[in-house]
Every structure is written in structure tokens, then in C-alpha cells.
Amino acid sequence: MKFENVTKEKLLQKLSEFKIETPSWGFERGGTRFETYETSKDRKTIEDRIEGATRVHELTGKGERVSVHFPWDGENREEVEGLRELLQDNDLKAGSVNANLFSMRPERELDDRLRFGSFISPYEEVRESAIDHVFDCVQWMRILDSKNLVLWLPDGSNSPGQMSFYDMLDRTLEYTRRVCETLEDDETLLIEYKPFEPAFYATAVPDWGTALYISQAVGENAKVLVDTGHHLQASNIEQIVAYLAKSGKLGGFHFNDRKYADDDLVAGSLRPYQLFRVFCTLQEAYRRGFLGEKDLAFALDQSTYVKDPTEAMIESIENIMKNYLKALLVDYRKLRTQREEPDPTEADRTLRKAFEEPVKDLTREWKEKNGLPMDPIGRYRR
Amino acid sequence: MKFENVTKEKLLQKLSEFKIETPSWGFERGGTRFETYETSKDRKTIEDRIEGATRVHELTGKGERVSVHFPWDGENREEVEGLRELLQDNDLKAGSVNANLFSMRPERELDDRLRFGSFISPYEEVRESAIDHVFDCVQWMRILDSKNLVLWLPDGSNSPGQMSFYDMLDRTLEYTRRVCETLEDDETLLIEYKPFEPAFYATAVPDWGTALYISQAVGENAKVLVDTGHHLQASNIEQIVAYLAKSGKLGGFHFNDRKYADDDLVAGSLRPYQLFRVFCTLQEAYRRGFLGEKDLAFALDQSTYVKDPTEAMIESIENIMKNYLKALLVDYRKLRTQREEPDPTEADRTLRKAFEEPVKDLTREWKEKNGLPMDPIGRYRR
Amino acid sequence: MKFENVTKEKLLQKLSEFKIETPSWGFERGGTRFETYETSKDRKTIEDRIEGATRVHELTGKGERVSVHFPWDGENREEVEGLRELLQDNDLKAGSVNANLFSMRPERELDDRLRFGSFISPYEEVRESAIDHVFDCVQWMRILDSKNLVLWLPDGSNSPGQMSFYDMLDRTLEYTRRVCETLEDDETLLIEYKPFEPAFYATAVPDWGTALYISQAVGENAKVLVDTGHHLQASNIEQIVAYLAKSGKLGGFHFNDRKYADDDLVAGSLRPYQLFRVFCTLQEAYRRGFLGEKDLAFALDQSTYVKDPTEAMIESIENIMKNYLKALLVDYRKLRTQREEPDPTEADRTLRKAFEEPVKDLTREWKEKNGLPMDPIGRYRR
Amino acid sequence: MKFENVTKEKLLQKLSEFKIETPSWGFERGGTRFETYETSKDRKTIEDRIEGATRVHELTGKGERVSVHFPWDGENREEVEGLRELLQDNDLKAGSVNANLFSMRPERELDDRLRFGSFISPYEEVRESAIDHVFDCVQWMRILDSKNLVLWLPDGSNSPGQMSFYDMLDRTLEYTRRVCETLEDDETLLIEYKPFEPAFYATAVPDWGTALYISQAVGENAKVLVDTGHHLQASNIEQIVAYLAKSGKLGGFHFNDRKYADDDLVAGSLRPYQLFRVFCTLQEAYRRGFLGEKDLAFALDQSTYVKDPTEAMIESIENIMKNYLKALLVDYRKLRTQREEPDPTEADRTLRKAFEEPVKDLTREWKEKNGLPMDPIGRYRR
């Protein structure tokens, strides 16, 4: 087990330093609009979900921080304080705080006007209700000692007539700016983009270009969050990552895999080479010095209705760590030379060589050193 | 109001003869996996839904037949007989019978094993339960004096490991054949295809090629149903319609519009020229004599969570009738000559001319003759 | 012929004021990588192409300005001065100047290193050669009294190894900035984006987000050019137009239609309703006051290998004018109210009503007033 | 180097038995419609191309058969006999014969009417000329002792008016049938499908469904050829392969990789896991007994304008052999059990385990045994 351009010790250290959050909501059985096939053993309560996160953390050594979703994980200060204790009791911390703007009022009847959006709603009352919820989330974030607020706007329109794009953008800017202004210097607003669903004609923040534009407009603290499953077919995700990194506005990731829509499948289960390329792109940025690994919030965001959700979480972590590790094995100095020559055939070989490298022995050694089970899914089942 | 190649009387007659079913399920508020924004005024019961269908029929003169969905619209013989009376009382008839295979057991707890599919399930018990439900649907179809059974298999897999494609196809063929064999000579099995959702890696019947293959394999009575929203990006739907028509296996349509996925939007709301082209393709088939207009089951299939569902149904009917009418205005004889010359520039003009023809006066006259309101949505609201 | 919210005189005036350039290169027979089916009657020389532009201008009243492409339309000062005279002799003017960076050295053997790109090339010599060509274009632009320089970078990579995204973006920024810096205050750099072709893994400026980012970085004079055929499947082009307009960086359009790739088909031949929606989006911006109609450079950009190119140009102009006119018929005040209520069903009807309005009589009257033939393609053929 | 379910000897034997053709046309520099960046060292003549094929065969042990393309590789009997000798002199054989129908008359001026298609042309004369060329190809196939005729119809239309889908399909069927009828029992017609390019509105044989339908209609000898780059975005290629295999009509492959269109990139350079899954799907079919490995014609079909074409051919072969080998390492018995349980998490692990297995040692041993260079591209360069 020898690697040309990096020592084993360095690799083991990087594996240890790599952080990735698990999403509390991903421990429940997911579903489609057709059906949710809940089983009697599925996790349903916040206690269940944190228990799942705890198990994953114990079995993989990752997921020390758990992304939370409000109001799903708490509807008021007391519940959030309870959540903080629940996390502490399980040696976990809160990760990013996600504000749910599509059904944000669980304590009373859902406001059906939310179907016209939250921040972009034609109803001022709904817009204000939405931002109030986000303001609550900011408070709760501080209770939880979390520094990242994720804003995914589920807003858009379902037909050309429904809404003016100018109102859509104006309101998105206005309300996002108001959120950004409440943040402290060490807090970050992560703006997530998504091309469609639940809106089917236009989405307020459909692509990275919009997210970048907004993040530039609303303030220093605003950055862009890349969900790997939120792109139109054939998008080059690693390029988007690079361009965002270069713009200084890359803030974090939601990992999952997809083939058609926002499928929320296990990360790396369909396109492992793409996952590897995303990590290579980040490595290049780190090496060029304009991005720090700790600048980014890595999290899983997935929802499985077939596989057991907790097992799927472990599977994703294993895939991500493997591809992260492989990206560390790339000989970037050689790659740079090959690109300058230019020798694309050999440059591709340099990438592929690292991707095809077996990392079983390395991960085994890392797991042994950290007292982790070799087969976390097997252990989980027992 | 004069048209070169067709008389006004003929057009009015064709408008009268054109039949299209409304879907009972489409009268409820739709939703996404995120939320369903039900309002207190939304229709929820079978009585509500049939009331909606009745209103649409009264206001548009279309929708005399209502597509029904079991078990949503009835779970046993008694309820189906009740449905038959409910329809009769409202001067309606049952249209196609749709078998729901994704949550087919309302009377008892949902079998969570359905997440592995119905006909393709690895559990024989689930497969048999699924086909038993379809056999029930066949019985209920006869009670309702309907002749069309729609089979949409929500089956597939969410990862490469989950299932062998060979088992997937074998079981689909076997169970579909068993369904087909129970049908009488004058009954038709309409096989629907869809590329994804709820399955996100592979779907058992993902495309028209599979549906055609199966329909050829299982029997004379099997035909293919085209849902206009069930195609991969950039598919040429009118060509698929033509090729199916030519193969002798085109059986019917589910109309709706879409931009991204199976968006279930109002028919013709985004791509009216495509809707027109589909009708032109059918007109050509009728004129060439290998397809009869009455051979096809036309139905709406849409689900709106923003617009009022009943209004959306009226909007779709108006769009469809307009584009159907425009397709009748095409000078197909001239078109054929232009294509043979070939003169694509003038041939496109021939199509576009008909598409751009105002048909307001014609539809107004038809509505007057039939005692229908000029503005059915306005009337519905009052 | 009466319209609710706009007078006929106003419409006729707007039709007269509407300007759209024809592209000199579009008068030649186009082709694919497989074959170009040139006929003996096809235009090939610059004289032929300008003759085509002249005919289109005479027959449609549009295309007074002709977009030119260097070095195709001239390789040195003398030839460009000749082009200026040629245009003047035909009562035409030069429109936007397009710099060809994929085969920019006709006078000597093509530099095969261009396959690695122009501005992003790893070869400094090629990069400098490319910008020298653009500097030439700027000089020639002034000779031609044109104010718009279109920069489409055909640069990118064909495999993950080939190039670093950071070098790709850095060089694109650096060289684009250098171009922008040479422009006078009243000159505009129009940055065009395109997702793929000729590059098949990554393109330097693949989307509007990148083009916006670059235009913001390189200077006041830089704006974004939207080619309607340069988007990934399912992109919402009218939304992109709106967001660019709002950002203050929308600079112009290349019109054409497409179904799969950059098909360069006749504008409005497949998706007329989308073309209409683009114009509606612009109308809204004009009415809200943050965009002026004269701020935008409208041009055709198409390439036909089946239809006669000159006829296809006329067909596009007719389609564009019709949909531009229909967009003027929309009752935007009513639309705004419907959107605020919100009443998406009626708002869609407001749009559709204008789209379905016959504008034959209007265009006929406008043509008569301007001494233009009713059937320009028929006249062209005679 | 031990594998659970297969011996090393068996693997080495399978590696030896695996056959894949190289395409003569792929040894020339490819290009896009914009430019072909030919270098002075590029191969241009048939002698050059066969020299390239010879080098690849010597360096990789694969490519013993070379797919040929007429009239590019010969325009008459004499030239084809010359080709046969050229191949023999280099220890090569002819593989599949590809009939070029988009520019089939090199000996005299190109018939520009081919822009309306070949078999589907409205000009009977062009249709007959096209089939005459295919009949020539059949004769030449026999001279070359080849058994496979590949038919890729570049036919289609660029606008809705251009052509009736019914004529398109009728003529495709009629002419394909006539070709099929001339074949001997041991000869196979491989029908290739492709969604777009050069046609941009509709393609005569756009998808596997059409190809299957035609192959069923025209005769026993007709099968379907899958080009891995010829699918709409998000198509599940391995499922298509499986369904075709099951139908008895899978005939062969053209391998390459793609991201956007028919990019013709190096096989496995972007989506290696998909390539692996295609081979797994085939392995399953072999094991279930309804498909024999020798029933299929494997060939490369790629066209590179950046990388050196000969090197790119070697790169593809290495990628294909690696993924073929990994597909042999899958424990299909275990997989089947996991699928039946069902245990998708473990089933995915079974696939991934084989995909991540390093096969360097195995391929090294195989190369040593066969006297092949370890680094064929390095050797080629020297």
C-alpha cells in the first residue's frame, strides 16, 4: 500500500478530518407523491431520527453533526432546547439548520396559500409568516450552536400566467436579504438551488447562476449550496462547483445521486466517477489556495423509500469516503503538467488511475485505528 | 368564417362527435411529495368528484364518460354498483377503468412490500394480490359497462442491484398476459408507459417500445396508451403516436402538459403546437384509413395543486378542443403534395396556417347550438 | 380589428420600429458534421450572402442590419472596407460583429492547436493569436460603424483530464476583460453562452450564470447574449431572459428554434408559444421601466441544410414578427391584477388570448403601408 | 489475486476470447460541423487507417477485425479486393460492413437531394440509389468474408411539415426488408438507432423500440445494434440491452461515451460504472442461457478531434476490457439471492465490490502471457 504522491499517514489523517453531516429527516422512510411505504419498524419521531444518527455516527465515525429541519425537528424554543440535549446525550452536535418553507406551520392548520410560494407569495401575510419562521430558525440555530442556515425556497409557478418573473426575483432578493442581514459575522446563509419540483413551470432559484447572483446581492454571509441531485440533465456539476469556488461563493454540499429528477438516491450509487470528479475539483481548489476544506459544509441529503434509510445513510458515507480518498490519490502535479503540454490522454489516465485504485486496505486500517466496524451495515443489522 | 378544405357543418359535427373522458381522481387537489395544499373547499369524496365531473360535462359538453380509479372510487362490488348509479343519476357513464397497483389495499393496512413493485415483486404473494385487484377491476369494469382497462405499472427499481431486468420483464409479461386473457373480445387492455417516478433507476414499462413489445406478446386485446407527459426530454411524441398507430397498437391517450417530469399540468398550457401536431398525426392516420377515431380512448389525466382542479379540467378541455379543431383545418391534400415535391417551407406553412387560424367563432357557434356557456370557467365560478 | 388595450396605430408603429438583424453566414447552405448538401444554386461568396440579405430586407422590411462574421466576411481592412461599400450599395448596414475563434486564420494554414480552444488554450501563442483576431474585429467594427461585438467562445474540453476548470475560467476572464477594455463607451461586448458543441465534456461559458458572472467581472460594456437554441433540455428560457434583464446585463438575442442540440432551426417553427413568452417577458421589462427596447440587439442565427437558407430567413422573420405582435396584444395591466389576486387560471387565459389572436390583418395592413409583398417567400421564388 | 466465484484461469481465458472490432473511420481525425483540426500527422488514406488498426491490434491483442465503411473504404469491387489483401497482409480481418447513406456517391458529384434522406426520400431515384449502394455493400461484405451488415439510416426531417411519419416508417420498412431479403442465412442485418443528428425534428429510426419493431417486421436475420451514445438523456441503456436480449433481437454494440449528444468520446471515459453495468446485464443473459457471447458483434465507434485517434482507440479498448473483466467478477449467484430476498443494499454492494476490484494484476498477467506491452499507449508513442 504505497502511493506516489501522498503518504499513508497523511491519507489516514485526512480521512479523520473529513466531516459530513447526516440529515435528521433522512432517517425516516421517504416516499413519492404516490405512496410512502412505511413499515412498523420505521423511525418516525425526533428521538427515532436522532437514534439513527447516533447509530450511523458510532458505526462510521462520521455524521458527528446532524443537519436539522424546522419545524420537523422542533416547533419552539423548548423543543429546540430538548433537541440540543438529545444531541448532547448522544455525543452529537447540530449541523446546518434547514428552514422548511413549504409546510412551515405545523402547530396550526397548514396555510393552503403556501401553494403560491413562501418568499415570493403574492400574499404579504404569507411572505411575512415565512420569514418569521426563518427568523425563528436563526434563533434556534444559535441555541444549537450551529453556524449554517440552509435556505431552500420551494417557490415557483406552475404556468406562464401565474407569476411575473420580476416579482419572483424581486421578492426572493428582498426576503433573502432580510434573512442575511440578521446573521452574525460567523454565520453563513447557504442558498440552495433546484430546477423543478414542487414547481413545474418555473422555480424562483432554479440554478447556480441565480443562487450566485442572489448570494452576491444579499451580503457577505451568503453562499451557495450545491445539491448534487438538483441539476438539469447533462449539467456538468464539477464545473459548477469549480466556478462557484472561484467566485468565492461556494458554501457547501448536499450529497445524493440521481438519474431523472431529484431522486435522492444513495450518493455515488449510479455515478461514482462523477462523485470522484467533484472531490478532485475541490482538491484542486484547496491546492491553489483559494478555498479551504473547512470553508465547506458537507452533508448528506437523501430520502429512500425502498432501502432502509439508516442503512442507505451508511452506504452513502462509505461511497463518499471512498471517492474522497481516491481524489486524494490523484497526482495533481503530474496532472497539471499533462494539462499544460497538453496531453489529455495521459491526463485522463492520471485521473482514472486514482479512481481505480483499491482503497479497501486504507479504509480498513483507518477503521481499525478508530475502533470502527469493518462492515457497518452488517453490524447495524445485528 | 370559411375554410378551404372543410365545411363549417362538418367541423361542427366533428366537434360534437369528439369524446374525451375526465378522470375522477383529477377533481381532487393534487400534490407533490412535499405537500398537498388542500383547501376546505376541495373535493374529497367520490360524490364530490362525480359532482365535479358532472359540472364539467354540463359546462363543456364533454366528459360524458369519467375514467375511474380503483380502489379510490370503490373497493367492492357494492360500492361499484353505487358508483354506477351515481354516474347514471348525473347523466354520466364510466370511462376507462384504472387499476391502482401502488396502494391497492385500502380496506386493510397497506402492504409495505409494495415498495418492491406489484407485478414484478419478488414476493409471489404480492404479485398475486396485485393481479387479484386487477381481476376485481375487470369485474367492476363490467358492472360499469366500460370496455377499457388501463394498466399503469408503478413498478421498477431504485438502484442497479435491486432487481434483474430479466425478472422485471418476465414477470411484467406473465402477469400482463394473465390479465389480457381474462378479457372479452370487445374489451381492451391499455398498457401505459412512463420513464420514471415512482421508480428512479429503472421502470418496468419505461417507454413506448416496451409497451408495444408487451402488447404484441400478450394478445390481440392489448394496446398502448400514450400519456403525453410520460416521455424523456426531447422525445418526439407525435412520431411515437404515428409509429404506434402504424403498428396497429395505438389504443388511447392521457392528455396533460409537462416541462420537467410527469408534471400533470393543464393540457396545452405550455406546448400547444405540440398538442396540435399530435392531432394532425391522428388526422393523417384516419385519412389513410388504418385508424378509426373511435378506436381511441381519449382522456384527461392531470393533477393540479395550484389551480382549482375543476377549472383546470375545463381549461384542458378547451385547449384540446381548439387544437383538435385546428388539426381539422389543415389542408392534408396540399400538405401531401408539398411533402412529395418536397417543399418543406410551404409544408410548414400549411401546418402553421391551420394552427394560427382563429377558431373562436366556430367554437362559439358550436357552444350556442349545444346550449353551452361561452365562458365555462366564469359560469363555474358563479 | 380592435384590440382592448392598444390601438392599431400603435401596433403598426411598433411593427415598424422593431429591428432584427439577419446573419450573413446564415445565407449559405448549412450542414452537419456528416455532410453539407450544397446545391449549385447555393450562395457561397460574400457578394452572394449580402445579395441574400438585400432580398430579405426588400421583401420583409426587416434585416436592415446584417450581422457579420470575421474572417468569413473579410480578412483585412481592405476587405472590410469593401464589405462596407457592398452593404451601402444595397441600402444595408452592418449589425453585430461576430469574431470567429474556431478557425480564425483563413489567410494561412489553420492552426490545428485551436482544437484545445482559443482564449483558454494552454498555448499562450494561440491565446494571443485569438485576441489579436478579436482586436482586428474591433477595428473592423468601427470601419463598419457597428456598436456590438459578439463573443462566442467555442472553447472547452472533451474529457475530465483535459483541462482544469480554474484555468478555463481564469483565462476566459482575463482575455474577455482585455477585449472589454479596448471598447469605447458606446460599444458593447455581447457574451454568448452555449452548453455544448464543439466541446463535449465542458464548455468555458456553458450557461447564462457564467456569462453573467463574466460580464459583471469584466466591465460595464459587457452584456449577455441569449441564443434561444443554447440551453440544456427543459431550461426556462423566458425566466433566464427576465433574470438577465433584471440584473441589467441582458444585451441581445440570437433567435432560432431547436429540439435536441443547437439545431439552428427556423425561429418559432417548433415552439411558437415559447417565442411568444420571451417577447412577453421583454414587454413586462419595458413596461416596468428597467429595460429599453433599443437596449437590445435582436438577430437571427440559424443554419439550415434542408430548407433554402434565404427562404428560412424570411420564415423566421415572419414568425418572430407575429409573436412579437401577439406579445403586444397582451393586457399586461389585467395580467398583473390576476397575478396579484392570484388567479393563475385567468392569467393564463390572458396570455393565451393574445397568443391565439389572429394578426393576419394587422401584418397585411403593415405590409401594404410599407409596400411589402404579402407573401415574401412566394415573391422571392418568382 | 483470488476471486470468490471464478478462477483466474477462467478470467484469462475470457479475456482472450473477448473480441472487439475497431472502426476504420475512427482512425482519422474527427471533427464537428465547425471545424476539423487535422494535423499533418493525421491518418487520411485507407492505408493509413488500416495501419492504425494494425498497430492497435499488435499493441492490445484486440481489434483483429476492423469494421469498414463504404464507400469510404472502397468504391468498387477492385478496391474492396484491395482492402481484403491489405487486411490479410496485416493479419487483420474485416468486421462489420457499414453502409454510408448520407454521402454515398463519392465517384460522382454528391446528390444534394440526399438532404431529404436515403431510404425515406420522396425521390424514388434517390431511394433506389441508396439501396443499390447497400446491395453493393452486401457484395463487398462477401468479398471480405464478413457476416454483419450495419444499417444506420441518417434519415429524418427537420420540421413538422417536411415529411409524414407514415411515409417515413413505410419506406424504412420497405427498403430495410428488401435489404434483409438479400441476406444469406448466416448473415445478419444490424439495425442501428439514433435519436437525432443529422435530422433535428424527427429521425426515421430514433430509438430501440423502432429498431426492434423493424427488425421483427423485416425478417429473421435482422437484429438491433446498440450504440451506447445514441440515446436521449437519462435513458437506462443497460435496461434497453436487457429487453432487447430478451426479445431475441440484440445483435451488437457500438461503444463510445457521451454527455450531451452523439459525442463519440472514448468508451468509459465519463461513465465507467454504466459501461460495467452493460456488461453485467450481458453476463446475466449468458448465464440464463438465452444469449450467447458469440451472438453479439462488439465494436468501437468513436471519433475524436482532440485526442490522437489511435491512442483514443487504445484507451477505449483498455476501458472496455477492464469493465468487461469486472463484470465477470460479480457473484451472480449471490446477487440473485439478494434480489430475491430482496436486499437491495447488499445487492448493490455485490455489484460495487466487483466494480471496485483492482484488475491491474490480472490484465498485466494476461498481457505478459500474450506478449503485449503493459503500456500500449506509451509503446505506441515510441
Side-chain angles (χ1 to χ4, degrees), chain B residues 159 161 201 204 207-208 238 243 348, chain D residues 159 161 201 204 207-208 238 348:
Chain B
S159 64
Y201 166 66
D207 52 22
W208 76 274
E238 52 269 32
Y243 281 23
D348 277 326
Chain D
S159 66
Y201 167 65
D207 52 21
W208 77 274
E238 53 268 34
D348 277 327

Side-chain angles (χ1 to χ4, degrees), chain C residues 63-82:
Chain C
E64 185 191 30
R65 287 186 180 270
V66 182
S67 311
V68 292
H69 218 291
F70 295 122
W72 290 341
D73 292 335
E75 302 182 17
N76 51 52
R77 168 173 281 271
E78 292 66 42
E79 290 184 13
V80 174
E81 287 171 345

Side-chain angles (χ1 to χ4, degrees), chain D residues 35 52 54 63 84 111 115 176 178 202 207 224 236 274 332 338 350 369:
Chain D
E35 193 55 75
T54 306
R84 183 183 55 191
D111 188 336
R115 70 185 189 275
T176 306
R178 282 172 59 191
D207 52 21
V224 179
N236 189 320
Q274 181 185 274
Y332 291 97
Q338 290 162 336
T350 297
K369 262 182 82 168

Side-chain angles (χ1 to χ4, degrees), chain C residues 174-358:
Chain C
E174 176 192 343
Y175 281 81
T176 306
R177 184 177 290 118
R178 282 173 59 191
V179 170
C180 198
E181 285 167 358
T182 68
L183 297 184
E184 302 291 336
D185 282 358
D186 65 343
E187 293 171 338
T188 303
L189 176 67
L190 293 168
I191 300 170
E192 191 171 348
Y193 57 92
K194 183 175 171 178
F196 67 94
E197 195 210 25
F200 291 126
Y201 166 66
T203 294
V205 189
D207 51 22
W208 76 275
T210 306
L212 174 59
Y213 177 69
I214 294 171
S215 73
Q216 290 170 330
V218 301
E220 285 280 310
N221 301 33
K223 299 214 164 177
V224 179
L225 183 138
V226 176
D227 183 306
T228 52
H230 290 188
H231 299 86
L232 292 179
Q233 292 292 338
S235 298
N236 188 319
I237 297 173
E238 51 269 34
Q239 182 179 22
I240 289 171
V241 167
Y243 281 24
L244 281 171
K246 194 77 204 180
S247 77
K249 285 294 196 180
L250 182 64
F253 284 86
H254 275 182
F255 285 108
N256 54 64
D257 213 336
R258 59 81 71 136
K259 186 165 176 56
Y260 302 101
D262 180 24
D263 306 339
D264 275 330
L265 301 176
V266 165
S269 63
L270 291 178
R271 299 187 290 188
Y273 195 40
Q274 180 185 273
L275 183 57
F276 165 79
R277 295 196 305 259
V278 166
F279 282 118
C280 293
T281 301
L282 292 177
Q283 287 299 323
E284 274 192 79
Y286 303 152
R287 276 149 216 262
R288 287 173 184 233
F290 55 78
L291 185 72
E293 192 146 1
K294 283 164 191 164
D295 300 344
L296 301 177
F298 293 108
L300 294 180
D301 181 10
Q302 61 188 53
S303 167
T304 53
Y305 75 87
V306 174
K307 290 180 177 176
D308 175 88
T310 309
E311 293 182 18
M313 215 68 87
I314 299 171
E315 197 184 343
S316 283
I317 288 175
E318 300 254 304
N319 284 349
I320 285 171
M321 289 188 66
K322 252 182 291 185
N323 284 291
Y324 170 75
L325 201 49
K326 289 173 175 186
L328 290 168
L329 300 180
V330 172
D331 189 337
Y332 291 98
R333 205 180 310 202
K334 194 200 259 183
L335 182 63
R336 198 153 192 184
T337 306
Q338 290 163 337
R339 285 167 162 177
E340 275 164 20
E341 298 191 359
D343 188 347
T345 299
E346 287 302 307
D348 278 327
R349 173 139 59 161
T350 296
L351 287 177
R352 196 158 44 229
K353 185 173 179 300
F355 178 67
E356 292 173 354
E357 200 67 56

Side-chain angles (χ1 to χ4, degrees), chain D residues 134-135 137-143 145-149 176-190 218-223 249:
Chain D
V134 180
F135 288 152
C137 289
V138 172
Q139 294 309 315
W140 301 340
M141 183 172 81
R142 288 163 187 167
I143 292 175
D145 199 31
S146 162
K147 296 298 180 193
N148 291 315
L149 179 71
T176 306
R177 184 178 289 115
R178 282 172 59 191
V179 171
C180 198
E181 285 168 358
T182 68
L183 296 184
E184 303 291 336
D185 282 358
D186 64 344
E187 292 171 338
T188 302
L189 177 66
L190 293 168
V218 301
E220 285 280 311
N221 300 33
K223 299 216 163 173
K249 284 294 195 180

Side-chain angles (χ1 to χ4, degrees), chain A residues 116 118-122 127 153 155 161-175 204, chain C residues 239 242-243 246 284 288 290 332 335-341:
Chain A
F116 291 102
S118 58
F119 280 7
I120 71 164
S121 175
R127 295 198 298 271
L153 274 196
D155 295 22
Q162 187 179 333
M163 187 157 207
S164 164
F165 295 120
Y166 303 108
D167 293 332
M168 197 181 273
L169 183 56
D170 282 347
R171 289 175 188 156
T172 299
L173 281 166
E174 176 191 343
Y175 281 80
Chain C
Q239 182 179 22
Y243 281 24
K246 194 77 204 180
E284 274 192 79
R288 287 173 184 233
F290 55 78
Y332 291 98
L335 182 63
R336 198 153 192 184
T337 306
Q338 290 163 337
R339 285 167 162 177
E340 275 164 20
E341 298 191 359

